Amino acid sequence: MPSRLLEALPLLWQGTRVTAALFFWTALLAPAIALPVALARDSRSTASRRFGHGFILFFRGAPLLVVLFLLYYGLPQVNALRHSALWPLLREPFPVAVLALALNSAGFQAEIMAGALRAVPLAEVEAATAAGFSRWQIFRLIKLPNAARIGLRSYGNELVFILKGTAVVSFITIRDLMNAATEIYSRTFDPITPLVSAGLIYLAMVAAVAAVVRTMERKLDPLLRAAWRGRRSAAVMVAISRKLAPTVH
Amino acid sequence: METLVLAASWSGQLAAGLGVTLALAALSIVLGTAVGLGCALLAARPGVFGPRLVLMAAGLVRSLPELLVIFAAYYGFAFLLQAIVAPFGVTGFVAIDAFWAGVMALTLIHAAFCTEVFRGAFAALPPGPIEAARALGLRRVPVFWLVAWPLALRYALPGWMNLTIVSLKLTPLVAAVGLQDLLRTAGDAGRNTHDYLLFYLLALGIYLALAAAIGLIQMRLEARLTRVWAG
């Protein structure tokens, strides 16, 4: 068993790198799609609101694999697309996989962002308005930082779902970590070693994402940030205030 | 018109695939909910080791890619069965049915997420009604079924309904181990007719309709439960 695992290591490493790359690009693209959708969902214009709602409903209800197959096998049938400038990108499995993962996640991320933006204390927005801030300034300086703090926990969960979701790309011939595991199985006829190894690598990646989100949480919260710099008593105070927070509102 | 005829010629197979998808989703949701409820109750029991073990196992399943769990249920379980029956002289290749491997994997995943939903619901229960029931002399089981469970259901319902949609959306993954479900049938139809777009759009429409139906049931149920709550 150990020698088999040793032989399999380069393949697993290669797969891990592909999975990490997929995760990285998806985590970058998804919020870029989700933020405009979140803003549209709660905008003043009815048409925008309809679009935002529709987008969220559509991509939250559509299975990831169906979206992936539709983009990978279905899009090449659209002639207009085949002659467009985007075609060299959409012909390759990797960008299509990133697009499918990002669209799928954007439905959920938009809902998280919209919820977090709505949860920003109205008093702060009113104070900024009274102080003469423009709408863009209020959004950038008041709403966005507040919402980031409020939504970060759910957002972290969503990042884990993206990471787990990347495993489906092996369906469209991308040699990711999941694909490496099945490849090793088909060579050795031993499913346990590759599946357990891949499982452990996925777990380590999930733990890394969770650790990054926790660090972000600390950095984004001024109280927690102060507590982190020094006094333990302050950390206790923050912990208490956090516990009380939901009942205060 | 031509596309309609094309789609209609595959309607029988697609309906069969839809049946497989629905059976897989229904079975794993029912079984997974039962297991998840059991795990949530185990986790709420006094003791350190047992509850921790349950929560750790649930967390582990939640962190692994669903596809990996499905592969583990299909290849790993067959491999283990093979190792178990080998000493009795059975040396052939042991394979388990893709459908039942899918039920096993999706049940496990549904249960792992349900554990968290039910645990949260039980934690959110107000202590008053339960103390009152105890004070009236009700025993532990009636307190649970008559007071704690109906109250917890209201807290758990939104999360649980979301999980049913999640589990429905996971069923296409079981096609990876050869299950002829709705998505795989749509793929076959696409390959045969050279019209992937049509059949994948059709499949997507059916999945969306199912998700919307669950959403509607959720709204109805929530309205019903909160009506009793207010009255």
Side-chain angles (χ1 to χ4, degrees), chain A residues 60 77 164 171 178 191, chain B residues 62 64 71 169 195-197:
Chain A
R60 287 214 308 181
Q77 264 174 256
K164 286 168 54 176
F171 275 98
M178 195 68 237
Chain B
R62 284 202 306 272
L64 288 173
F71 279 139
K169 285 170 52 190
D195 199 346
Y196 279 112
L197 197 61

Side-chain angles (χ1 to χ4, degrees), chain A residues 212-232:
Chain A
V212 169
V213 171
R214 266 200 307 278
T215 312
M216 292 275 285
E217 236 175 352
R218 206 166 55 219
K219 293 227 158 126
L220 284 180
D221 192 319
L223 280 174
L224 276 180
R225 198 162 49 213
W228 181 248
R229 286 215 192 95
R231 302 169 295 270
R232 183 166 290 175

Side-chain angles (χ1 to χ4, degrees), chain B residues 7 75 175:
Chain B
Y75 296 113

Side-chain angles (χ1 to χ4, degrees), chain A residues 26-90:
Chain A
T26 307
L28 218 61
L29 181 62
I33 301 173
L35 187 59
V37 173
L39 293 177
R41 185 196 180 283
D42 284 343
S43 91
R44 284 183 202 158
S45 123
T46 320
S48 298
R49 273 208 306 277
R50 284 225 179 101
F51 166 76
H53 270 294
F55 183 97
I56 290 170
L57 223 64
F58 187 88
F59 283 107
R60 287 214 308 181
L64 173 57
L65 199 56
V66 183
V67 176
L68 186 70
F69 282 177
L70 195 61
L71 293 183
Y72 189 66
Y73 295 108
L75 278 190
Q77 264 174 256
V78 184
N79 274 326
L81 205 77
R82 279 237 301 282
H83 299 117
S84 78
L86 279 173
W87 182 237
L89 208 61
L90 291 173

Side-chain angles (χ1 to χ4, degrees), chain A residues 30-190:
Chain A
I33 301 173
L35 187 59
V37 173
L39 293 177
R41 185 196 180 283
D42 284 343
S43 91
R44 284 183 202 158
S45 123
T46 320
S48 298
R49 273 208 306 277
R50 284 225 179 101
F51 166 76
H53 270 294
F55 183 97
I56 290 170
L57 223 64
F58 187 88
F59 283 107
R60 287 214 308 181
L64 173 57
L65 199 56
V66 183
V67 176
L68 186 70
F69 282 177
L70 195 61
L71 293 183
Y72 189 66
Y73 295 108
L75 278 190
Q77 264 174 256
V78 184
N79 274 326
L81 205 77
R82 279 237 301 282
H83 299 117
S84 78
L86 279 173
W87 182 237
L89 208 61
L90 291 173
R91 200 173 47 190
E92 301 294 327
F94 191 91
V96 170
V98 168
L99 186 62
L101 285 164
L103 283 172
N104 185 68
S105 183
F108 291 91
Q109 290 194 14
E111 193 63 29
I112 293 170
M113 287 173 178
L117 283 169
R118 271 195 309 263
V120 172
L122 196 62
E124 292 195 24
V125 177
E126 281 169 354
T129 313
F133 282 39
S134 70
R135 274 187 65 186
W136 166 243
Q137 278 177 318
I138 290 176
F139 179 73
R140 194 170 60 86
L141 299 171
I142 311 289
K143 281 191 167 177
L144 216 50
N146 260 315
R149 241 170 268 158
I150 296 166
L152 190 63
R153 186 67 64 90
S154 319
Y155 196 77
N157 267 333
E158 197 41 47
L159 287 179
V160 172
F161 277 110
I162 292 180
L163 182 56
K164 286 168 54 176
T166 58
V168 309
V169 303
S170 46
F171 275 98
I172 58 166
T173 70
I174 296 177
R175 304 172 74 82
D176 73 325
L177 180 53
M178 195 68 237
N179 187 269
T182 48
E183 175 72 32
I184 294 165
Y185 164 62
S186 64
R187 282 186 197 173
T188 62
F189 296 109
D190 160 27

